[in-house]
Structures are given as C-alpha cells and as structure tokens.
Amino acid sequence: MKAPPDQGVSSFIYPPTGPNLEFFAKALQSGCLIAIPTETVYGLAGLALNEEACRSIFAVKGRPLMDPLIVHIPNRSMAGELAELPDCFQLITDRFWPGPLTLILNKKPIVPDLITAGKPTVAIRMPKHPIAHELLEKVGAPLAAPSANPFGYVSPSTAEHVAESFGENVPFILDGGPCEIGLESTILDLSDPETPQILRPGAISADEISDVLRVPVISNKVHLGGDQAAKAPGTFFRHYSPGTNLSLFEKENPPVLQKDHAIVFLDRPGNLLDKNVFWLSEDGSLEKAAQSLFGLLRKLDRLNYSVIHCEMPTIDSGGYAEAIRDRLSRAAAK
Ligand code: TXA
Ligand code: MG
C-alpha cells in the first residue's frame, strides 16, 4: 500500500487530517488493518464482515480464535443489521451511546462465526471518539477492533503504545491523542434481557446501568473467573500484564521501599518521595488514575525493576474503582 498523504512526526503514526482519514477509510474498505483511537483504548480495526481482514486481526495480535471481537459501528441503526435488538435497546443506547459501553446481543446470520468465536451472540459498540466516529462514517461499514496490543499484554492508550508493541507489523496508526478514559469499555450482556450482566467492568458502572434499566444488573465485584470466563472468553484470568512481576497492595499496607522495586500509589504520597516511587494521579481521582494506568505500567515495564507494587483502589470508592481493581488483579495474576 502507498503512503498516506500527510506524514506524521514518527514512523507508522499519522495525524488525523482530512486527506489521511479519506485514505484510511479506503484502505479499510479494501481489507487493510488500521490502528484507530477510541475514547477507551486504541483498537486494531478491520472490516468486520470481511473474514480475511478479521483473520489478520487475530494473527497480528497473536489472539486465539476462541476469543471473539467487538464490532464498532457509526450509528445505532447499524446494530439492527447485525443483531436482534431487545426492547431495552433504545433506552440503554439513548443514555450510553456513543460511549464506552459494549452490548452483547443475539447475532444475525450476517455476522461471521469467526468474529463471535462461534457464539450465538455478537459484541457491539458505538465509540464516542470524534476521529473514530468520522472514520466509521466514511467507511460506512462495521469495523471489528480489539485493543491494539499483543494478546495478553497491557492495552494501548496512546498511538505511541501501539507503535512500541507492533512496529512494522502495524504500519498505519491513526493518531487521536491520549485516550480520554484509558480503560476498555464496560461489557454488558443483554443476550437475555431479563438478566443483564456485566462481563467486564469499565467506566460505566453496574449501578448507572441499573438506574436506566430499572432492573438489577449482575456484576461480580473483584474479578471474574470460572463460568464468567466462558461467557466472555477474553476475560481470562491473567491479562493486561506487564512482563515485570506486579504485586498489589491496599492503602493501609504499603510495601517497604527496596532499591530494585517500583511503588505506584493512586495519588501523590506526601512523605515518601524517591526515584522509585510513582503515582497515577495528583489528587487521587480515579478517572485520572485510569487514564494514566496503562501508560505507567508500560513505562515501568521498560525500567527493569524486579517488582512493581501497585496500590488498589478500595472496593467501595465507586465508579472506576471496580474497573481498575479488575485490570490490576488480572495483570497481577500468576
Ligand atoms: O474499549 C474497548 O472495548 C476496546 C476498544 C478498542 O473498543 N476494545 C476491546 O476489545 O477491549 P478486546 O478484543 O480487547 O476485548 C473484547 C472483549 C474480550 O474479552 C472478548 O472475549 C469479549 O469482549 N467479547 C467479544 N465478543 C463477545 C461475545 N459475543 N460474548 C462475550 N464476550 C465477548
Ligand atoms: Mg484487549
């Protein structure tokens, strides 16, 4: 493929100019893969209804075929072409789409089994990031896009993270700046609309969904194992993992500082400043901690510490706490 019209400041990363968006939309339509920004994390996108494109997504990521992909759409009406829509679809999407909520719905035959890993359901999301949205509109077709990281590694929240992990294997990365949320979307299973269930916690919490649907939403608090793993095969126990050993602690039990260990706090520790001490937000805001989490794990992973200690938010600290606990628990799982 020839080069995009407008060059970026580094190899593989291209600015979202009008001519580049046109170029990437055409490239996607012809079956190429492009890494794209979303408000959650960067995705590795290809035409969802093109089996060859989807096969390359699995191959480039090193992802097992049993782990289904999320389909991204530019507008709500496209969801009805891919899946049976439950009665609550309008209500829930009025509130949360476009945005960081993926819905698991019963699929229509048009969706290839490759995307759904043979399951009768399909995962669908309408991203809010303006560049993702514009590109999807230009392509005019659904795009499959898993997080743009090698299978099992930490997800990317900047274009540079994608380039670091894949190099020339993903030569086209559309730069949309750092992701606003920094954690993957909440996954809500509506395949049985009577019993909505969270399969992966994210920025949108079970309580917020429950308030809209006016029914209880099942959500497992810490991490999901066993049956849950079978329901969302990608939520394997160990995931989002840096190469360095990760050890978790609660605020009241910080580890003792050692010279080859890094310690990551949720907020700036007043009295314990050392070159091995890091923090995820200045003021303890969990939204800011989520934004910087994957970037800091990636950075520390390159610094050759023997252990990275990371503080877990307390379970009842609301909103993002469950999602951050979930990602940290999986990243630390042996
Ligand atoms: O925020 C996000 O959701 C990002 C951005 C790029 O949109 N995407 C993302 O995709 O996180 P991925 O592939 O890394 O995670 C998708 C998760 C996997 O755990 C997969 O098993 C689950 O969604 N999934 C996909 N289809 C499913 C289905 N039909 N039933 C249950 N789980 C499904
Ligand atoms: Mg992923």
Side-chain angles (χ1 to χ4, degrees):
M1 202 165 95
K2 57 181 197 185
D6 295 322
Q7 292 298 304
V9 287
S10 64
S11 335
F12 315 137
I13 300 179
Y14 294 90
T17 59
N20 278 355
L21 285 174
E22 286 295 332
F23 177 91
F24 285 133
K26 290 213 173 75
L28 283 161
Q29 283 165 342
S30 71
C32 290
L33 304 189
I34 308 289
I36 63 167
T38 82
E39 71 279 21
T40 57
V41 296
Y42 275 71
L44 182 60
L47 276 188
L49 303 183
N50 175 319
E51 289 221 17
E52 211 175 312
C54 292
R55 264 187 210 290
S56 350
I57 293 178
F58 281 100
V60 170
K61 272 188 63 100
R63 181 179 179 119
L65 291 173
M66 56 161 302
D67 189 1
L69 305 178
I70 297 179
V71 177
H72 296 65
I73 55 176
N75 54 55
R76 285 199 293 194
S77 55
M78 208 178 266
E81 296 168 26
L82 304 168
E84 306 295 342
L85 304 184
D87 290 343
C88 63
F89 179 78
Q90 188 76 22
L91 190 64
I92 192 116
T93 55
D94 271 348
R95 174 73 179 78
F96 297 116
W97 275 12
L101 179 68
T102 295
L103 299 178
I104 304 292
L105 303 171
N106 295 309
K107 83 176 192 83
K108 287 190 169 166
I110 187 179
V111 179
D113 285 341
L114 182 65
I115 290 195
T116 67
K119 286 160 107 19
T121 53
V122 59
I124 305 183
R125 162 165 132 75
M126 180 176 166
K128 193 175 188 173
H129 196 296
I131 293 164
H133 183 75
E134 199 178 332
L135 188 69
L136 276 158
E137 291 241 287
K138 282 191 193 303
V139 175
L143 294 177
S147 52
N149 51 283
F151 181 70
Y153 194 62
V154 181
S155 293
S157 49
T158 65
E160 288 74 19
H161 293 163
V162 183
E164 275 158 28
S165 291
F166 288 114
E168 62 191 15
N169 291 333
V170 177
F172 300 115
I173 304 166
L174 185 55
D175 193 357
C179 299
E180 190 189 328
I181 294 175
L183 296 176
E184 305 81 351
S185 59
T186 303
I187 301 184
L188 176 66
D189 186 352
L190 286 178
S191 59
D192 174 4
E194 305 287 302
T195 53
Q197 188 172 357
I198 304 270
L199 302 184
R200 179 175 71 185
I204 296 173
S205 68
D207 288 347
E208 285 175 272
I209 295 169
S210 188
D211 282 349
V212 171
L213 293 180
R214 299 185 173 279
V215 291
V217 172
I218 305 167
S219 157
N220 293 12
K221 286 291 176 198
V222 183
H223 38 224
L224 317 161
D227 282 358
Q228 205 64 37
K231 281 193 175 137
T235 51
F236 292 120
F237 211 55
R238 183 176 164 90
H239 217 96
Y240 316 105
S241 309
T244 314
N245 257 328
L246 183 67
S247 167
L248 306 178
F249 67 90
E250 307 271 347
K251 192 171 204 71
E252 52 288 6
N253 283 319
V256 178
L257 197 58
Q258 295 189 42
K259 115 170 152 335
D260 61 339
H261 290 194
I263 305 187
V264 178
F265 291 95
L266 288 170
D267 56 345
R268 178 191 269 270
N271 52 358
L272 186 72
L273 295 178
D274 182 273
K275 71 175 178 32
N276 295 352
V277 171
F278 303 84
W279 50 93
L280 288 166
S281 82
E282 285 297 324
D283 57 2
S285 139
L286 292 186
E287 282 80 359
K288 290 194 189 122
Q291 256 173 11
S292 45
L293 178 65
F294 289 154
L296 186 59
L297 288 180
R298 283 170 172 265
K299 172 177 142 185
L300 296 181
D301 207 13
R302 287 197 303 269
L303 293 179
N304 294 324
Y305 287 107
S306 61
V307 182
I308 302 169
H309 299 273
C310 192
E311 181 184 343
M312 291 270 262
T314 52
I315 260 180
D316 53 4
S317 46
Y320 282 52
E322 198 186 338
I324 296 177
R325 287 180 69 88
D326 169 82
R327 303 307 188 275
L328 285 175
S329 308
R330 289 179 204 291
K334 294 285 182 298

